[in-house]
């Protein structure tokens, strides 16, 4: 239920001046933001970052107002959206007419009907990709978790969503390039108001990565735009698109959307599955229950789409995983008209920051918010919750169009791995991730897999 802003008395936001926060932001910006969010406890917060004074919005009522009820006022614009805008251009991650056009073109790929049609192909790709873990598992050789999760996800996404049009050679260029972009953009993402003429750590690595990525993507556009095929994949949809006057789109528009869709369709699932293993390492009771459910339903068979409705605990684990570690951890917006938010006057041009990571960890919203507890997502418990207490994929008109693909893909990968192997993480890793465009582990993690069932 939305808050009636007209009935809220006008007040001031809780202010956090620079002298109180600068040391914490220098040491650990994400932990400092969590401290500020906890102290604010749902109130609208004004951050003093020196050159910028954004509002931090964490209460579900206020989030609903920004993302849904007044989404036309709070737009993807402003200084905090600038790094993503510069990278993704006029794509599905833009605003206004450009966003509407991209969404209209791409939406058919992500309809429930098309996703259901593709799940068989997805299961086949996942089982093949997970099967490649058998060799290190039999040899007792630990795997590096993030690269292996990335490999499984990318092999699946390339085959299913991109019509197998990206070759292994091209994928081997794109994947590390995206990793480099995600890490090198972190300073600009945190301090977007700093002028470009001022060199910052990561600028050179970011520029080099974008150059490699553009070489690969523009070559793919040149190869497929005249003859993309007749499939229902992203390549085909983009290359067959037409502008409002019936003309074919330019190469830059196709490149922008290819980049946006490749990044969002691979990064979210890869990082979510990477965070899964340390959580299961710390919660063996959850792992035991997962394994029991998967053994009962899947047994020694390859995972299939028809297994998923009979795996409710797998779904609960994935949802709780995204509560603690939402990959899209920050949604910047800018007010384009005056309004009242949480009793506070918002003026045009004011930047607003929304963070699922922070809202998902508020004690006033969640009981025991830092504990990993998949029971939160039983049907009964989910019905009691505010619609915007949990929003890992955003909300309103800009809600991620690929959320259903993620849900199916993540559950299938988790199920396929645990039906064939038992994981053992080499070491526990720090619970707080490294901040940037996405939330990544601070350190690499290794995991040993013991074959079971047909792989034993």
């Amino acid at each position: 239920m939305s808050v009636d802003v007209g009935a809220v008395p006008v007040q001031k936001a809780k202010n956090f001046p620079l002298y109180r926060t600068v040391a914490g932001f220098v040491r650990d910006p994400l932990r400092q933001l969590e401290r500020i969010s906890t102290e604010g406890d749902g109130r609208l917060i004004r951050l003093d970052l020196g050159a910028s004074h954004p509002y931090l919005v964490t209460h579900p009522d206020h989030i609903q107002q920004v993302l849904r009820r007044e989404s036309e006022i709070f737009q993807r614009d402003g200084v905090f959206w600038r790094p993503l805008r510069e990278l993704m251009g006029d794509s599905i991650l833009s605003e206004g007419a450009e966003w509407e056009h991209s969404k209209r073109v791409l939406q058919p790929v992500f309809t429930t009907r098309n996703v259901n049609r593709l799940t068989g192909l997805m299961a086949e790709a996942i089982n093949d990709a997970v099967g490649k873990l058998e060799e290190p598992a039999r040899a007792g050789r630990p795997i590096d978790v993030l690269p292996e999760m990335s490999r499984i996800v990318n092999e699946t996404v390339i085959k299913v969503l991109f019509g197998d049009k990206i070759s292994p050679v091209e994928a081997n260029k794109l994947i590390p390039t995206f990793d480099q972009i995600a890490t090198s953009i972190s300073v600009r993402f945190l301090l977007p108001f700093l002028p470009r003429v001022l060199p910052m750590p990561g600028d050179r690595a970011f520029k080099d990565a974008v150059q490699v990525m553009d070489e690969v993507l523009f070559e793919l556009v040149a190869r497929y735009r005249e003859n993309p095929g007749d499939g229902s994949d992203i390549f085909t949809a983009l290359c067959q698109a037409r502008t409002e006057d019936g003309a074919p789109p330019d190469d830059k528009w196709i490149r922008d959307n290819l980049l946006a869709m490749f990044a969002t369709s691979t990064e979210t699932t890869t990082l979510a599955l990477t965070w899964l293993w340390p959580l299961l390492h710390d919660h063996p009771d959850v792992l035991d229950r997962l394994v029991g459910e998967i053994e009962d339903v899947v047994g020694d068979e390859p995972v299939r789409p028809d297994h998923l409705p009979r795996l409710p605990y797998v779904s609960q684990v994935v949802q709780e995983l995204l509560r603690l570690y939402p990959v899209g951890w920050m949604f910047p917006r800018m007010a384009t008209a005056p309004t009242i938010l949480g009793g506070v006057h918002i003026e045009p041009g004011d930047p607003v920051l929304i963070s699922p990571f922070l809202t998902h960890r508020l004690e006033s919203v969640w009981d025991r918010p830092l504990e990993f507890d998949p029971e939160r997502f039983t049907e009964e418990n989910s019905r009691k919750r505010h619609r915007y207490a949990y929003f890992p994929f955003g909300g309103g008109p800009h809600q991620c169009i690929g959320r259903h693909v993620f849900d199916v893909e993540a559950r299938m990968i988790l199920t396929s791995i645990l039906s064939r192997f038992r994981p053992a993480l080499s070491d526990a890793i720090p619970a707080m991730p490294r901040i940037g465009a996405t939330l990544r582990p601070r350190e690499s993690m290794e995991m040993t897999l013991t074959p079971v069932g047909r792989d034993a």
Side-chain angles (χ1 to χ4, degrees), residues 12-59:
K12 288 186 177 181
K14 187 172 179 61
N15 189 55
F16 284 84
L18 185 63
Y19 73 86
R20 282 188 57 194
T21 60
V22 64
F25 275 116
V26 170
R27 285 193 302 270
D28 191 331
L30 187 58
R31 194 173 293 277
Q32 178 65 15
L33 278 173
E34 191 174 19
R35 291 193 190 102
I36 290 172
S37 173
T38 300
E39 187 174 337
D41 194 29
R43 281 185 59 185
L44 210 64
I45 293 168
R46 193 82 188 262
L47 297 175
D48 183 350
L49 301 180
S52 182
H53 298 79
Y55 288 100
L56 185 63
V57 180
T58 58
H59 193 283

Side-chain angles (χ1 to χ4, degrees), residues 46-82:
R46 193 82 188 262
L47 297 175
D48 183 350
L49 301 180
S52 182
H53 298 79
Y55 288 100
L56 185 63
V57 180
T58 58
H59 193 283
D61 280 340
H62 308 154
I63 291 163
Q64 186 173 36
Q65 181 181 341
V66 172
L67 294 184
R68 186 172 182 84
R69 194 157 63 81
E70 292 185 352
S71 61
E72 75 284 355
I73 291 178
F74 294 98
Q75 305 235 331
R76 288 169 159 177
D77 204 347
V79 66
F80 284 90
W81 192 259
R82 183 188 301 160

Side-chain angles (χ1 to χ4, degrees), residues 70 72-74 334-340 346-349:
E70 292 185 352
E72 75 284 355
I73 291 178
F74 294 98
M334 185 186 76
T336 59
T339 188
I340 295 176
I346 304 295
E347 299 297 335

